[in-house]
Amino acid sequence: MNMTRTLLCYSLSLATLMVGALLLPSAADAQTASKPKLRMYLFDNGQINGLDPAEFNFKKEEIKSSDFIVVSELIVHPTKGILLWESGSVPDAKLPADGSAYHEGVTTVTKSLASQMQAIGYNYQDVKYFAMSHLHSDHSGNANALVHAKWIVQKADRDMMFAGKQQRVMDASLFSGLKNADTILLNNEDYDVFGDGSVRIISAPGHTPGHQVLLVNLASGPVLLAGDLYHLPEEITTGRTPTFEFDPATSAVSRARIQDLLKKTGAKLWIGHDKATHAALNFAPKFYE
Ligand SMILES: [Zn+2]
């Protein structure tokens, strides 16, 4: 009898322990909850104001504004390194030391890219991967500061960059150091930057021969960094391209492919130069996860 009671008590205690164990979060749960996520910071690399709408094949009254913003993004993978997408329009060294704004033609820059990175704890040397949407000067301002990184580029853009021929909106002095960079050369193809599908370069030629965009699969939802696939949102509905488009017919194919991708993934479209898009976004030190 005593033995039975003892056993019963033991069984009840065990059952209580087990229920308790089920109610308490396990170590694995705690780990999932605090697991670092893919993070994206947005930087302000200046303004391009007073552009002629005719350069983009629009009349003034057809568009809301032809004033542009210039941005870049730092994507921090929890375990596999950091990607810098775009590099601003003006080398940091040109900015006045007293912190005042730098003006050059239609461009105004108030903050260096390096200072914005440092404010969130990063230096250029921390960047493992570097990619630009394309070769134009308003994207390659600080490319020479990233020559230590693995450079991800489409062969068609790289060929044009080092062909020794002057191109419109291109300044070869800004990216000369990339010539000898450790390079991941793509042949009009997509590329999984970290190998886990979290960040994908998508080939989208037309604006330049090797233009590309970036799909960032954040936990909060995917974002497509469109580079100069479009400049003005009005290009989406009208199908127009700028006067300096490398190959408008190819751009139309790329735009259709990306629109299809947006539908399939539900990704948000961030047009690189669109002020209205970026007016609603959070810049570093705030971030997206
Ligand atoms: Zn641009």
Side-chain angles (χ1 to χ4, degrees):
M1 191 68 174
N2 266 352
M3 178 65 101
T4 315
R5 258 184 81 178
T6 309
L7 269 175
L8 188 68
C9 285
Y10 177 71
S11 303
L12 281 170
S13 308
L14 198 66
T16 312
L17 270 174
M18 283 173 74
V19 170
L22 286 174
L23 292 175
L24 287 169
S26 70
D29 287 341
Q31 216 171 29
T32 311
S34 64
K35 200 177 161 193
K37 293 174 186 158
L38 188 74
R39 182 176 281 194
M40 176 163 70
Y41 294 94
L42 177 61
F43 301 127
D44 174 357
N45 301 124
Q47 314 276 328
I48 302 176
N49 292 329
L51 291 171
D52 184 355
E55 290 280 297
F56 300 88
N57 283 315
F58 283 96
K59 294 193 186 87
K60 200 170 186 282
E61 58 271 23
E62 290 177 312
I63 56 172
K64 281 200 190 97
S65 169
S66 62
D67 288 346
F68 288 170
I69 189 168
V70 180
V71 296
S72 54
E73 285 88 3
L74 192 77
I75 293 126
V76 182
H77 189 284
T79 55
K80 296 181 176 181
I82 294 167
L83 163 73
L84 180 66
W85 174 251
E86 317 284 22
S87 66
S89 54
V90 168
D92 292 342
K94 282 194 170 182
L95 270 61
D98 64 5
S100 59
Y102 172 82
H103 301 282
E104 182 180 309
V106 290
T107 300
T108 300
V109 180
T110 49
K111 285 181 262 184
S112 74
L113 178 53
S115 69
Q116 292 177 76
M117 283 177 58
Q118 279 155 14
I120 53 165
Y122 297 106
N123 292 308
Y124 285 133
Q125 285 301 319
D126 298 320
V127 175
K128 187 172 176 186
Y129 301 98
F130 172 57
M132 304 182 286
S133 58
H134 63 297
L135 52 79
H136 285 162
S137 56
D138 55 316
H139 300 254
S140 54
N142 289 290
N144 278 337
L146 280 308
V147 297
H148 59 278
K150 260 192 208 295
W151 178 37
I152 312 170
V153 62
Q154 303 287 336
K155 183 177 182 298
D157 253 31
R158 193 189 181 282
D159 285 350
M160 186 179 262
M161 289 166 81
F162 299 112
K165 265 177 100 181
Q166 181 49 42
Q167 303 285 345
R168 229 181 126 188
V169 215
M170 186 182 94
D171 178 352
S173 73
L174 295 176
F175 52 70
S176 52
L178 287 178
K179 194 169 189 178
N180 300 313
D182 185 3
T183 302
I184 297 170
L185 200 61
L186 307 174
N187 221 330
N188 286 330
E189 58 196 326
D190 304 342
Y191 185 73
D192 183 350
V193 177
F194 297 109
D196 60 1
S198 60
V199 180
R200 284 168 59 210
I201 290 202
I202 314 281
S203 170
H207 185 55
T208 61
H211 183 275
Q212 55 191 8
V213 301
L214 196 73
L215 182 65
V216 185
N217 287 306
L218 299 171
S220 57
V223 175
L224 188 104
L225 307 179
D228 289 9
L229 183 74
Y230 306 105
H231 296 74
L232 303 161
E234 290 86 352
E235 290 169 11
I236 300 173
T237 43
T238 61
R240 291 182 210 172
T241 53
T243 53
F244 53 96
E245 198 81 341
F246 175 73
D247 181 350
T250 302
S251 296
V253 175
S254 291
R255 286 174 173 187
R257 185 180 179 227
I258 298 305
Q259 286 296 338
D260 193 44
L261 183 74
L262 292 171
K263 271 193 206 108
K264 278 184 189 146
T265 59
K268 292 188 192 93
L269 173 69
W270 291 9
I271 299 175
H273 288 305
D274 185 39
K275 270 190 154 176
T277 297
H278 290 89
L281 295 175
N282 293 319
F283 285 78
K286 290 186 174 164
F287 54 81
Y288 290 88
E289 281 190 343

Coordinates of all heavy atoms in Angstrom, one line a residue, residues 64-137:
K64 N 5.4 65.1 -61.5 CA 5.3 65.8 -60.2 C 6.5 66.6 -60.0 O 6.5 67.8 -59.6 CB 5.1 64.8 -59.1 CG 3.6 64.3 -59.0 CD 3.4 63.7 -57.6 CE 2.0 63.0 -57.6 NZ 2.2 61.5 -57.7
S65 N 7.7 66.0 -60.2 CA 9.0 66.7 -59.9 C 10.1 66.0 -60.7 O 10.1 64.8 -60.9 CB 9.2 66.6 -58.4 OG 10.6 67.1 -58.2
S66 N 11.1 66.7 -61.1 CA 12.3 66.1 -61.7 C 13.5 66.3 -60.8 O 14.6 66.2 -61.2 CB 12.6 66.7 -63.1 OG 12.8 68.1 -63.0
D67 N 13.2 66.6 -59.5 CA 14.3 66.7 -58.5 C 14.5 65.3 -57.9 O 13.6 64.6 -57.6 CB 13.9 67.7 -57.4 CG 14.0 69.1 -57.9 OD1 14.5 69.4 -59.0 OD2 13.4 70.0 -57.2
F68 N 15.8 64.9 -57.9 CA 16.1 63.6 -57.4 C 16.8 63.6 -56.1 O 17.5 64.5 -55.7 CB 17.1 62.9 -58.4 CG 16.5 62.6 -59.8 CD1 17.4 62.2 -60.8 CD2 15.2 62.6 -60.0 CE1 16.8 61.8 -62.0 CE2 14.6 62.2 -61.2 CZ 15.5 61.9 -62.2
I69 N 16.7 62.4 -55.4 CA 17.5 62.1 -54.3 C 18.5 61.1 -54.7 O 18.3 60.4 -55.7 CB 16.6 61.6 -53.1 CG1 17.5 61.4 -51.8 CG2 16.0 60.2 -53.4 CD1 16.6 61.2 -50.6
V70 N 19.7 61.0 -54.0 CA 20.7 59.9 -54.3 C 20.8 59.1 -53.0 O 21.0 59.7 -51.9 CB 22.0 60.5 -54.7 CG1 23.0 59.4 -54.9 CG2 21.9 61.4 -55.9
V71 N 20.7 57.8 -53.1 CA 20.8 57.0 -51.9 C 21.7 55.8 -52.1 O 22.1 55.5 -53.2 CB 19.4 56.5 -51.4 CG1 18.4 57.6 -51.1 CG2 18.7 55.6 -52.5
S72 N 22.0 55.2 -50.9 CA 22.7 53.9 -51.0 C 22.2 53.1 -49.8 O 21.6 53.7 -48.9 CB 24.3 54.1 -50.9 OG 24.6 54.8 -49.8
E73 N 22.4 51.8 -49.8 CA 22.0 50.9 -48.8 C 23.0 50.0 -48.3 O 23.8 49.5 -49.1 CB 20.8 50.1 -49.2 CG 19.5 50.8 -49.4 CD 19.3 51.5 -50.8 OE1 20.2 51.3 -51.6 OE2 18.3 52.2 -51.0
L74 N 23.1 49.8 -47.0 CA 24.0 48.8 -46.3 C 23.2 47.7 -45.9 O 22.3 47.8 -45.0 CB 24.8 49.5 -45.2 CG 26.0 48.7 -44.7 CD1 27.1 48.9 -45.6 CD2 26.4 49.2 -43.3
I75 N 23.5 46.5 -46.4 CA 22.7 45.3 -46.0 C 23.6 44.4 -45.1 O 24.7 43.9 -45.6 CB 22.2 44.6 -47.2 CG1 21.1 45.5 -47.9 CG2 21.5 43.3 -46.8 CD1 21.4 45.8 -49.3
V76 N 23.2 44.2 -43.9 CA 24.0 43.5 -42.9 C 23.4 42.1 -42.7 O 22.3 42.0 -42.2 CB 24.1 44.2 -41.6 CG1 25.0 43.5 -40.6 CG2 24.6 45.7 -41.8
H77 N 24.1 41.1 -43.2 CA 23.7 39.7 -43.0 C 24.1 39.3 -41.6 O 25.2 39.6 -41.1 CB 24.3 38.8 -44.0 CG 23.8 37.4 -44.1 ND1 24.1 36.4 -43.1 CD2 22.9 36.8 -44.9 CE1 23.4 35.3 -43.4 NE2 22.7 35.5 -44.5
P78 N 23.2 38.5 -40.9 CA 23.6 38.2 -39.5 C 24.9 37.4 -39.3 O 25.5 37.5 -38.3 CB 22.4 37.3 -39.0 CG 21.5 37.2 -40.1 CD 21.9 38.1 -41.3
T79 N 25.2 36.6 -40.3 CA 26.5 35.8 -40.2 C 27.4 35.8 -41.4 O 28.5 35.4 -41.3 CB 26.1 34.3 -40.0 OG1 25.3 33.9 -41.1 CG2 25.3 34.1 -38.7
K80 N 27.0 36.4 -42.5 CA 27.8 36.2 -43.7 C 28.4 37.5 -44.3 O 28.8 37.5 -45.4 CB 27.0 35.5 -44.8 CG 26.6 34.1 -44.3 CD 25.8 33.3 -45.4 CE 25.6 31.9 -44.9 NZ 24.8 31.1 -45.9
G81 N 28.4 38.5 -43.5 CA 29.0 39.7 -44.0 C 28.1 40.8 -44.4 O 26.9 40.7 -44.3
I82 N 28.7 41.9 -45.0 CA 28.0 43.1 -45.3 C 28.1 43.5 -46.8 O 29.2 43.3 -47.4 CB 28.6 44.3 -44.5 CG1 28.3 44.0 -43.0 CG2 28.0 45.6 -44.9 CD1 29.1 44.9 -42.1
L83 N 27.0 43.9 -47.3 CA 26.9 44.3 -48.7 C 26.6 45.8 -48.8 O 25.7 46.2 -48.1 CB 25.8 43.6 -49.5 CG 25.4 44.1 -50.9 CD1 26.5 44.0 -51.9 CD2 24.1 43.5 -51.3
L84 N 27.4 46.6 -49.5 CA 27.1 48.0 -49.8 C 26.5 48.1 -51.2 O 27.2 47.6 -52.1 CB 28.3 48.9 -49.6 CG 28.0 50.4 -49.9 CD1 27.0 51.0 -48.8 CD2 29.3 51.2 -49.9
W85 N 25.3 48.6 -51.3 CA 24.7 48.8 -52.6 C 24.7 50.3 -53.0 O 24.1 51.1 -52.3 CB 23.2 48.2 -52.5 CG 22.4 48.4 -53.7 CD1 21.3 49.3 -53.8 CD2 22.4 47.7 -55.0 NE1 20.7 49.2 -55.1 CE2 21.4 48.2 -55.8 CE3 23.2 46.7 -55.5 CZ2 21.1 47.7 -57.1 CZ3 23.0 46.2 -56.7 CH2 22.0 46.7 -57.5
E86 N 25.4 50.6 -54.1 CA 25.6 52.0 -54.5 C 26.6 52.7 -53.6 O 26.9 52.2 -52.5 CB 24.3 52.8 -54.6 CG 23.0 52.2 -55.1 CD 23.0 52.0 -56.6 OE1 24.1 52.1 -57.3 OE2 21.9 51.9 -57.2
S87 N 27.2 53.8 -54.1 CA 28.2 54.4 -53.3 C 28.2 56.0 -53.4 O 29.2 56.6 -53.1 CB 29.6 53.9 -53.7 OG 29.9 54.3 -55.1
G88 N 27.0 56.5 -53.6 CA 26.8 58.0 -53.6 C 27.3 58.6 -54.9 O 27.8 57.9 -55.9
S89 N 27.2 59.9 -55.0 CA 27.4 60.6 -56.2 C 28.8 61.4 -56.2 O 29.3 61.8 -57.3 CB 26.3 61.6 -56.6 OG 26.1 62.4 -55.5
V90 N 29.3 61.7 -55.0 CA 30.5 62.5 -54.9 C 31.4 61.8 -53.9 O 31.0 61.4 -52.8 CB 30.1 63.9 -54.3 CG1 31.2 64.7 -53.9 CG2 29.2 64.7 -55.4
P91 N 32.7 61.7 -54.2 CA 33.7 61.2 -53.2 C 33.6 61.9 -51.9 O 33.6 63.2 -51.9 CB 35.0 61.3 -53.9 CG 34.7 61.5 -55.4 CD 33.4 62.2 -55.4
D92 N 33.7 61.2 -50.8 CA 33.7 61.8 -49.5 C 34.7 62.9 -49.4 O 34.5 64.0 -48.7 CB 33.9 60.8 -48.4 CG 32.8 59.8 -48.3 OD1 31.7 60.1 -48.8 OD2 33.0 58.7 -47.7
A93 N 35.9 62.7 -50.0 CA 37.0 63.7 -49.8 C 36.7 65.1 -50.4 O 37.3 66.0 -50.0 CB 38.2 63.1 -50.5
K94 N 35.7 65.2 -51.2 CA 35.3 66.5 -51.8 C 34.5 67.3 -50.8 O 34.3 68.5 -51.0 CB 34.6 66.3 -53.1 CG 35.4 65.9 -54.3 CD 34.6 66.1 -55.6 CE 35.5 66.0 -56.8 NZ 34.7 66.2 -58.0
L95 N 33.9 66.7 -49.8 CA 33.0 67.4 -48.9 C 33.8 68.3 -48.0 O 34.8 67.9 -47.5 CB 32.1 66.4 -48.1 CG 30.8 66.0 -48.8 CD1 31.0 65.3 -50.1 CD2 30.0 65.2 -47.8
P96 N 33.3 69.6 -47.8 CA 34.1 70.5 -46.9 C 34.2 69.9 -45.5 O 33.3 69.3 -45.0 CB 33.2 71.7 -46.9 CG 32.2 71.6 -48.0 CD 32.1 70.1 -48.3
A97 N 35.4 70.1 -44.9 CA 35.7 69.6 -43.6 C 34.8 70.2 -42.5 O 34.6 69.6 -41.4 CB 37.2 69.8 -43.2
D98 N 34.3 71.4 -42.7 CA 33.5 72.1 -41.7 C 32.1 71.6 -41.7 O 31.2 72.1 -40.9 CB 33.5 73.6 -41.9 CG 32.9 74.1 -43.3 OD1 32.3 73.2 -44.0 OD2 32.9 75.3 -43.6
G99 N 31.7 70.6 -42.5 CA 30.4 70.0 -42.4 C 29.4 70.7 -43.3 O 28.2 70.4 -43.3
S100 N 29.8 71.8 -44.0 CA 28.8 72.5 -44.9 C 28.6 71.7 -46.1 O 29.3 70.8 -46.5 CB 29.4 73.9 -45.2 OG 30.6 73.8 -45.8
A101 N 27.5 72.1 -46.8 CA 27.1 71.4 -48.0 C 28.1 71.5 -49.2 O 28.7 72.6 -49.3 CB 25.7 71.8 -48.4
Y102 N 28.2 70.5 -50.0 CA 29.1 70.6 -51.2 C 28.2 70.7 -52.4 O 27.2 69.9 -52.5 CB 29.9 69.3 -51.3 CG 30.7 69.1 -52.6 CD1 31.9 69.8 -52.8 CD2 30.1 68.4 -53.6 CE1 32.6 69.6 -53.9 CE2 30.8 68.2 -54.8 CZ 32.0 68.9 -55.0 OH 32.7 68.8 -56.1
H103 N 28.5 71.6 -53.3 CA 27.7 71.8 -54.5 C 28.5 71.6 -55.7 O 29.7 72.1 -55.8 CB 27.1 73.3 -54.6 CG 26.3 73.6 -53.4 ND1 25.0 73.2 -53.3 CD2 26.5 74.3 -52.3 CE1 24.4 73.6 -52.1 NE2 25.4 74.3 -51.5
E104 N 28.0 70.9 -56.7 CA 28.7 70.6 -57.9 C 27.6 70.5 -59.0 O 26.9 69.5 -59.1 CB 29.5 69.4 -57.8 CG 30.4 69.1 -59.1 CD 31.2 67.8 -58.9 OE1 31.9 67.6 -57.9 OE2 31.1 66.9 -59.8
G105 N 27.5 71.5 -59.8 CA 26.5 71.5 -60.9 C 25.1 71.4 -60.2 O 24.7 72.2 -59.4
V106 N 24.4 70.4 -60.6 CA 23.0 70.2 -60.1 C 23.0 69.4 -58.8 O 21.9 69.1 -58.2 CB 22.1 69.4 -61.2 CG1 21.8 70.4 -62.3 CG2 22.8 68.1 -61.6
T107 N 24.2 68.9 -58.4 CA 24.3 68.0 -57.2 C 24.6 68.8 -55.9 O 25.5 69.7 -55.9 CB 25.4 67.0 -57.5 OG1 25.0 66.3 -58.6 CG2 25.5 66.0 -56.3
T108 N 23.9 68.4 -54.8 CA 24.3 68.9 -53.5 C 24.4 67.8 -52.5 O 23.5 66.9 -52.5 CB 23.1 69.9 -53.0 OG1 23.0 71.0 -53.9 CG2 23.5 70.4 -51.6
V109 N 25.5 67.7 -51.8 CA 25.7 66.6 -50.8 C 26.0 67.3 -49.5 O 26.8 68.2 -49.4 CB 26.8 65.7 -51.3 CG1 27.0 64.6 -50.3 CG2 26.6 65.1 -52.7
T110 N 25.3 66.8 -48.5 CA 25.5 67.4 -47.1 C 26.2 66.4 -46.2 O 26.9 66.9 -45.2 CB 24.2 67.8 -46.5 OG1 23.3 66.7 -46.6 CG2 23.6 69.0 -47.2
K111 N 26.1 65.1 -46.4 CA 26.7 64.1 -45.5 C 27.6 63.1 -46.3 O 27.1 62.6 -47.3 CB 25.6 63.4 -44.8 CG 25.0 64.2 -43.7 CD 23.9 63.3 -43.0 CE 22.5 63.6 -43.5 NZ 21.4 62.9 -42.8
S112 N 28.8 62.9 -45.8 CA 29.6 61.9 -46.4 C 29.0 60.5 -46.2 O 28.4 60.3 -45.1 CB 31.1 61.9 -45.9 OG 31.1 61.4 -44.6
L113 N 29.3 59.6 -47.1 CA 28.8 58.2 -46.9 C 29.6 57.6 -45.7 O 29.0 56.9 -44.9 CB 29.1 57.4 -48.2 CG 28.7 55.9 -48.2 CD1 27.2 55.7 -47.7 CD2 28.9 55.3 -49.6
A114 N 30.9 57.8 -45.6 CA 31.7 57.2 -44.5 C 31.1 57.7 -43.2 O 31.0 56.9 -42.2 CB 33.1 57.7 -44.7
S115 N 30.8 59.0 -43.0 CA 30.3 59.4 -41.7 C 29.0 58.8 -41.3 O 28.7 58.5 -40.2 CB 30.2 61.0 -41.7 OG 29.1 61.4 -42.5
Q116 N 28.1 58.5 -42.3 CA 26.8 57.9 -42.0 C 27.0 56.4 -41.7 O 26.3 55.9 -40.8 CB 25.9 58.0 -43.3 CG 25.5 59.4 -43.5 CD 24.6 59.5 -44.8 OE1 23.5 59.1 -44.8 NE2 25.2 60.0 -45.9
M117 N 28.1 55.8 -42.3 CA 28.4 54.4 -41.9 C 29.0 54.4 -40.5 O 28.6 53.5 -39.7 CB 29.3 53.8 -42.9 CG 28.6 53.4 -44.2 SD 29.7 52.7 -45.5 CE 30.5 51.3 -44.6
Q118 N 29.9 55.3 -40.2 CA 30.5 55.3 -38.9 C 29.5 55.6 -37.8 O 29.6 55.0 -36.7 CB 31.6 56.4 -38.9 CG 32.9 55.9 -39.5 CD 33.8 57.1 -40.0 OE1 33.6 58.2 -39.7 NE2 34.8 56.7 -40.8
A119 N 28.5 56.3 -38.1 CA 27.5 56.6 -37.1 C 26.7 55.4 -36.6 O 26.1 55.3 -35.5 CB 26.5 57.7 -37.6
I120 N 26.7 54.3 -37.5 CA 26.1 53.1 -37.1 C 27.1 52.0 -36.8 O 26.8 50.8 -36.7 CB 25.0 52.6 -38.1 CG1 25.7 52.5 -39.5 CG2 23.8 53.5 -38.1 CD1 24.8 51.7 -40.5
G121 N 28.4 52.4 -36.7 CA 29.4 51.4 -36.3 C 30.2 50.7 -37.4 O 30.8 49.7 -37.1
Y122 N 30.1 51.2 -38.6 CA 30.8 50.5 -39.7 C 31.8 51.4 -40.4 O 31.6 52.6 -40.5 CB 29.8 49.9 -40.7 CG 28.9 48.9 -40.1 CD1 27.6 49.2 -39.8 CD2 29.4 47.6 -39.8 CE1 26.7 48.2 -39.3 CE2 28.5 46.7 -39.3 CZ 27.2 47.0 -39.0 OH 26.4 46.0 -38.4
N123 N 32.8 50.8 -41.0 CA 33.7 51.5 -41.9 C 33.7 50.9 -43.2 O 33.2 49.7 -43.4 CB 35.2 51.4 -41.3 CG 35.3 52.2 -40.1 OD1 35.0 53.4 -40.0 ND2 35.8 51.6 -39.0
Y124 N 34.3 51.5 -44.2 CA 34.3 50.9 -45.6 C 35.0 49.6 -45.5 O 34.7 48.6 -46.2 CB 35.1 51.8 -46.5 CG 34.3 53.1 -47.0 CD1 34.9 54.3 -47.0 CD2 33.0 52.9 -47.5 CE1 34.2 55.4 -47.4 CE2 32.3 54.0 -47.9 CZ 32.9 55.3 -47.9 OH 32.2 56.4 -48.3
Q125 N 36.0 49.5 -44.6 CA 36.8 48.2 -44.5 C 35.9 47.0 -44.1 O 36.3 45.9 -44.3 CB 38.0 48.4 -43.6 CG 39.2 49.2 -44.2 CD 39.7 48.6 -45.4 OE1 39.9 47.3 -45.5 NE2 40.1 49.4 -46.4
D126 N 34.8 47.3 -43.4 CA 33.9 46.2 -43.0 C 33.1 45.7 -44.1 O 32.4 44.6 -43.9 CB 33.0 46.8 -41.9 CG 33.7 47.3 -40.7 OD1 34.7 46.6 -40.3 OD2 33.3 48.3 -40.1
V127 N 33.1 46.3 -45.3 CA 32.2 45.9 -46.4 C 32.8 44.7 -47.1 O 34.0 44.8 -47.5 CB 32.0 47.1 -47.4 CG1 31.2 46.6 -48.6 CG2 31.2 48.2 -46.7
K128 N 32.1 43.6 -47.1 CA 32.6 42.4 -47.7 C 32.3 42.3 -49.2 O 33.0 41.8 -50.0 CB 32.1 41.2 -47.0 CG 32.6 39.8 -47.4 CD 32.2 38.7 -46.5 CE 32.7 37.3 -47.0 NZ 32.1 36.3 -46.1
Y129 N 31.0 42.8 -49.5 CA 30.6 42.8 -50.9 C 30.1 44.2 -51.3 O 29.5 44.9 -50.5 CB 29.4 41.8 -51.1 CG 29.6 40.4 -50.7 CD1 29.3 39.9 -49.5 CD2 30.2 39.5 -51.7 CE1 29.5 38.6 -49.2 CE2 30.5 38.2 -51.3 CZ 30.1 37.7 -50.1 OH 30.4 36.4 -49.8
F130 N 30.5 44.6 -52.5 CA 30.1 45.9 -53.1 C 29.5 45.7 -54.4 O 30.0 45.0 -55.3 CB 31.3 46.8 -53.1 CG 31.1 48.1 -53.8 CD1 30.1 48.9 -53.4 CD2 31.8 48.5 -55.0 CE1 29.8 50.1 -54.0 CE2 31.5 49.7 -55.6 CZ 30.6 50.5 -55.2
A131 N 28.3 46.3 -54.6 CA 27.7 46.3 -55.9 C 27.0 47.6 -56.2 O 26.5 48.3 -55.3 CB 26.7 45.1 -56.0
M132 N 27.0 48.0 -57.4 CA 26.2 49.2 -57.9 C 25.2 48.8 -58.9 O 25.4 47.8 -59.5 CB 27.1 50.2 -58.5 CG 28.3 50.6 -57.7 SD 29.4 51.9 -58.5 CE 30.2 50.9 -59.8
S133 N 24.1 49.5 -58.9 CA 23.1 49.2 -60.0 C 23.7 49.3 -61.4 O 23.4 48.5 -62.2 CB 21.8 50.0 -59.8 OG 22.2 51.4 -59.9
H134 N 24.6 50.3 -61.5 CA 25.2 50.5 -62.8 C 26.3 51.5 -62.7 O 26.6 52.1 -61.6 CB 24.2 51.0 -63.8 CG 23.5 52.3 -63.5 ND1 22.8 52.5 -62.4 CD2 23.5 53.5 -64.2 CE1 22.3 53.8 -62.4 NE2 22.8 54.4 -63.5
L135 N 27.0 51.8 -63.8 CA 28.3 52.5 -63.8 C 28.2 54.0 -63.7 O 29.2 54.7 -63.7 CB 29.0 52.1 -65.1 CG 28.3 52.2 -66.5 CD1 28.2 53.6 -67.0 CD2 28.9 51.3 -67.5
H136 N 27.0 54.6 -63.8 CA 26.9 56.1 -63.8 C 27.5 56.7 -62.6 O 27.5 56.2 -61.5 CB 25.4 56.5 -64.0 CG 24.9 56.3 -65.4 ND1 23.6 56.3 -65.7 CD2 25.6 56.1 -66.6 CE1 23.4 56.0 -67.0 NE2 24.6 55.9 -67.5
S137 N 28.0 58.0 -62.8 CA 28.7 58.7 -61.8 C 27.9 58.9 -60.5 O 28.5 59.0 -59.4 CB 29.3 60.0 -62.3 OG 28.2 60.8 -62.8

